[in-house]
Amino acid sequence: MSRIRFTRRLPAAVTAAGLALAVAACGGESSTSSEGTTVAAADQLKPNADLSQQSLQVTVWDGYTPKELPEKAKEKLKVKEVKIGLHATNEEAMAKLTASGDSGIDVAFVSGQYAQALNEQGLLEPIHAELIPNLANLYPEATQLSYDKGNKFSVPYTWGTTGICYRTDLVKSTPKSWNDLLKPPAWADKKVTMMTTERWLALPALKALGYSVNTAKDEEIAKAKELLLAAKPHLLAYDDTTFGDKLKSGEAVMVEAWDGWCPTTEKNIKFAVPKEGSDLWVDTMVIMKSSKNKEAAHALINYILDPEIHSWAAENINYAVPNKAAMERVKIPEGSLLGIKPAELLNGESIIDLGQDSTKYTRLSSEVTAQ
């Protein structure tokens, strides 16, 4: 099983607040639902549209879909063309999607809170469920994601959680709390790593203090900052990408990790969700309101949700997919976190877009890592 390295959840440089300016400049139209959520008006789509006259442009993280996807999707859907463009981070994707009134992109892969931000500014086409029958393959829990309950504007592609990845042969006691990272015992001093990605840098401290990962309260963020600054002298490093390698080499004994990046199939490496709880992160597929190929875009998402296609993600990037039929096809290696149950994941707190308050986490990250 291969392990793809990519930084898909980096600091929130583009939020709902910034997107509002982009929409205003581009003349985007939107309406407000009875729940107060801004949504784009749905276009009238044709279930039996001639897809041979439509082409698709997709933006996705490198290695996140099969290399042969464009060729196979073109053949299966009978569309003129499927082109794949790459982005390294959510921010890069957002820059593409908001640069002009029509980015030329039909389908985008972005993390859940970014999909929420795009939708709140009317940039997304609502999901027409009748055009995606393979939505029936999703776990029921996949419709309960707090940033988009009912999958109204996004379709989940992968999901997971964050916790402590550790060497069973190098720790003197099994880590059970975020405080094991924040206040490491003497035998783990300077053998611990934490992430710098804004919301995930804050996560251990917020949860250790009993706060929400989505808090915007200044006093709670200030207390989290104090805890993070106190932890800093005891860290080996801040590391968002190579913590698994440090763990395998023995340089680190405990690290903050996304579940799919914890090399649990290696001997003596395990993953634990701390007792204070953690997050539920989701990467999604969305359709741009500006797309002129919306029927084909829905058809592509439906194709990706085919169990044979969607199972590729679990088998090749080591992240669980919210597709029951797909996961039933996957042979899960011993010790792999792919076997995590949807109900367990749903115990995590979904990270949502905080609009202008996202800048508080940008500032927190800068102040903690700079001092």
Side-chain angles (χ1 to χ4, degrees), residues 55-121:
S55 299
L56 289 171
Q57 179 69 50
V58 180
T59 185
V60 64
W61 296 280
D62 190 13
Y64 223 49
T65 55
K67 288 184 178 180
E68 63 274 15
L69 179 66
E71 179 183 346
K72 288 193 172 182
K74 175 183 176 182
E75 179 182 357
K76 179 70 174 180
L77 305 179
K78 308 300 182 186
V79 295
K80 291 171 64 176
E81 189 174 33
V82 178
K83 289 185 177 180
I84 301 290
L86 302 178
H87 56 258
T89 66
N90 276 298
E91 289 66 43
E92 188 176 323
M94 297 293 266
K96 286 184 182 183
L97 299 173
T98 61
S100 64
D102 183 358
S103 64
I105 294 170
D106 302 290
V107 176
F109 286 68
V110 294
S111 296
Q113 66 268 39
Y114 294 85
Q116 178 190 358
L118 288 167
N119 180 67
E120 287 173 348
Q121 299 307 319

Side-chain angles (χ1 to χ4, degrees), residues 3-39:
R3 182 68 48 81
I4 306 297
R5 295 290 188 192
F6 41 176
T7 51
R8 45 183 197 74
R9 289 181 293 277
L10 288 180
V14 183
T15 63
L19 285 172
L21 297 176
V23 176
C26 301
E29 296 181 0
S30 62
S31 60
T32 304
S33 72
S34 59
E35 297 177 351
T37 301
T38 304
V39 294

Side-chain angles (χ1 to χ4, degrees), residues 3 10 34 81 130 134 168 171 248 278 299 301 308 360:
R3 182 68 48 81
L10 288 180
S34 59
E81 189 174 33
E130 69 277 9
N134 281 336
T168 59
V171 297
K248 287 188 281 187
S278 189
I301 291 177
E308 182 178 354
K360 296 179 180 181

Side-chain angles (χ1 to χ4, degrees), residues 120-192:
E120 287 173 348
Q121 299 307 319
L123 296 178
L124 297 185
E125 174 69 15
I127 295 298
H128 297 249
E130 69 277 9
L131 300 185
I132 310 180
N134 281 336
L135 285 170
N137 292 331
L138 297 180
Y139 289 105
E141 289 87 350
T143 68
Q144 300 172 29
L145 305 169
S146 61
Y147 65 86
D148 181 19
K149 288 190 176 181
N151 310 132
K152 295 176 182 177
F153 55 82
S154 65
V155 175
Y157 180 71
T158 55
W159 59 2
T161 190
T162 309
I164 300 176
C165 188
Y166 64 98
R167 283 280 297 266
T168 59
D169 57 329
L170 297 180
V171 297
K172 294 186 178 180
S173 59
T174 301
K176 297 179 180 179
S177 168
W178 286 116
N179 284 314
D180 292 322
L181 282 180
L182 295 163
K183 302 174 182 179
W187 51 263
D189 194 51
K190 296 190 181 301
K191 295 181 180 180
V192 171

